[in-house]
Amino acid sequence: MVEEASNKQVILKDYVKGFPKESDLILKTSIVKLKIPNQCSNDAVLVKNLYLSCDPYMRGRMAKTEGSYIDSFTPGSTITGYGVAKIVDSSNPDLKKGDLIWGLTGWEEYSLIKLTQGLFKIQNADLPLSYYTGILGMPGHTAYIGFYEICSPKKGEYVFVSAASGAVGQLVGQFAKLFGCYVVGSAGSKDKVDLLKNKFGFDDAFNYKEEPNLDAALKRYFPNGIDIYFENVGGKMFDAVLLNMRVNGRIAVCGMISQYNLENPEEGTRNLLCLITKRIRMEGFLVFDHYGLYPKFLEMVVPLVKQGKITYVEDVAQGLENAPNALVGLFSGRNVGKQVVVVASE
């Protein structure tokens, strides 16, 4: 007899328009066999999920879209995202029962992953496993690629980070400070601004919701202009930044969370001429195009974490039943730091 287990799952009810609500996601329980089916390839793993990552890009997958870099979720089916898991059964000789991995998995207690490409075996299990949803996983690697590879920083440059208290932004700011740059971040509450200045070591920070004129605010914080902008929000902030960029500035376009929930995106950016007059280089990127650099990223960041030179803040939700609320909270900025869902202890 094959052992079975109860499997709680988070299901997308239907495609979402506007801001997602908790009721757009429903919980369902099924029974799962704790063995890989015979018809699966020799590159499959069955995992027990331990931690799940709530990430802004997931909003796009809740809508019916075509031509995107990643497929939409299927209504009536379990949603997927980045997570940390323990292998229960494996048909891949390189991944054994008991191994810990991170990568794309289901929002459920147990997942059958039919192709292991894109899964990473966890080597530094002495660090908190939840870190592989954040600083040591996709968000950390994203911050590293955007700042070091896309923006090619120089010591002493002026760096601005939007959505700076989030999973990616908090790391970009700290990487920039360690590199010897001057760093200012924007966030959406007083508590987050305090976190940026007092916990993450940003030189300064401001609450964009309290700034009626973003151009004037940026001129106040960057009287000499901005060399590097790490773009997480889009919209009016992006337009204001363009006016304040320095000649030969660089912009890494990581996300545009201000636009994700709009049924009709805001009117176009007005200040794109600045790209020409200031010779600005702007580049969008997706982290999985740079997975080849993941070992190089770990070589740099693991010692920094162990030495306490980088601080990482998580906002932790306990239990899969609280996962819908945690994910939806991202889009109103409710989370402070990296939003993680604990599914199970090992």
Side-chain angles (χ1 to χ4, degrees):
M1 283 286 288
V2 176
E3 189 183 350
E4 295 182 336
S6 172
N7 190 28
K8 199 181 292 174
Q9 300 166 301
V10 177
I11 310 286
L12 180 68
K13 196 172 175 182
D14 203 353
Y15 291 124
V16 175
K17 291 183 177 179
F19 274 84
K21 306 180 295 297
E22 201 176 333
S23 58
D24 292 321
L25 298 162
I26 53 177
L27 290 167
K28 178 182 139 187
T29 302
S30 61
I31 300 296
V32 63
K33 287 183 164 55
L34 299 184
K35 187 162 178 57
I36 293 172
N38 293 331
Q39 63 267 33
C40 275
S41 69
N42 61 355
D43 187 29
V45 288
L46 180 72
V47 301
K48 179 182 181 180
N49 292 310
L50 306 177
Y51 298 93
L52 296 174
S53 175
C54 297
D55 295 300
Y57 81 90
M58 296 172 74
R59 173 62 188 88
R61 301 191 71 190
M62 298 169 82
K64 189 175 177 62
T65 54
E66 292 176 8
S68 178
Y69 68 95
I70 193 166
D71 292 339
S72 295
F73 295 136
T74 304
S77 296
T78 307
I79 67 171
T80 58
Y82 286 93
V84 174
K86 189 172 191 175
I87 295 177
V88 175
D89 192 22
S90 172
S91 63
N92 181 319
D94 297 325
L95 295 169
K96 307 273 194 300
K97 181 179 178 179
D99 282 350
L100 294 161
I101 55 100
W102 75 267
L104 283 172
T105 186
W107 273 42
E108 54 192 348
E109 291 174 286
Y110 294 91
S111 294
L112 176 63
I113 302 171
K114 294 180 179 177
L115 289 172
T116 63
Q117 182 186 9
L119 295 183
F120 295 87
K121 195 169 169 179
I122 291 174
Q123 308 291 355
N124 296 283
D126 54 329
L127 292 167
L129 289 178
S130 62
Y131 278 18
Y132 287 89
T133 67
I135 186 170
L136 301 178
M138 183 274 287
H141 192 206
T142 299
Y144 173 86
I145 294 297
F147 182 64
Y148 290 105
E149 299 294 325
I150 306 292
C151 289
S152 305
K154 300 180 189 72
K155 188 174 180 180
E157 287 192 312
Y158 299 100
V159 177
F160 177 50
V161 186
S162 56
S165 68
V168 174
Q170 60 174 286
L171 293 172
V172 174
Q174 291 181 84
F175 289 162
K177 281 302 298 174
L178 288 167
F179 199 80
C181 297
Y182 178 84
V183 187
V184 176
S186 65
S189 73
K190 182 185 181 301
D191 288 346
K192 291 179 180 180
V193 167
D194 289 344
L195 197 66
L196 294 176
K197 293 197 283 192
N198 303 325
K199 186 103 173 171
F200 298 139
F202 282 57
D203 292 289
D204 217 330
F206 65 92
N207 181 351
Y208 69 90
K209 292 177 182 174
E210 294 179 350
E211 299 291 347
N213 185 327
L214 292 172
D215 176 32
L218 291 171
K219 282 183 168 54
R220 202 163 70 240
Y221 289 97
F222 292 100
N224 298 312
I226 299 165
D227 291 297
I228 289 173
Y229 174 44
F230 200 98
E231 165 68 301
N232 287 314
V233 301
K236 292 173 182 173
M237 181 66 82
F238 174 55
D239 226 14
V241 166
L242 286 172
L243 294 174
N244 288 277
M245 292 296 292
R246 285 159 65 103
V247 170
N248 296 320
R250 285 87 70 208
I251 300 174
V253 185
C254 174
M256 294 202 167
I257 197 168
S258 74
Q259 307 297 295
Y260 294 164
N261 299 302
L262 301 177
E263 291 187 50
N264 298 304
E266 288 181 13
E267 61 188 59
T269 303
R270 298 177 181 184
N271 298 320
L272 286 175
L273 184 63
C274 294
L275 295 176
I276 302 168
T277 59
K278 299 182 180 188
R279 285 80 89 198
I280 297 165
R281 181 167 59 80
M282 182 167 77
E283 184 175 343
F285 71 102
L286 296 171
V287 70
F288 51 66
D289 292 334
H290 303 270
Y291 274 168
L293 291 173
Y294 182 66
K296 182 182 170 188
F297 157 67
L298 279 187
E299 275 178 33
M300 185 202 84
V301 80
V302 168
L304 293 174
V305 174
K306 288 184 173 178
Q307 293 161 21
K309 290 184 178 175
I310 284 190
T311 299
Y312 199 63
V313 171
E314 296 177 314
D315 194 325
V316 179
Q318 295 287 342
L320 203 57
E321 62 278 6
N322 291 312
N325 180 266
L327 178 58
V328 167
L330 278 186
F331 303 104
S332 59
R334 194 177 61 220
N335 59 301
V336 177
K338 168 67 197 168
Q339 185 66 67
V340 186
V341 177
V342 180
V343 182
S345 56
E346 272 193 76

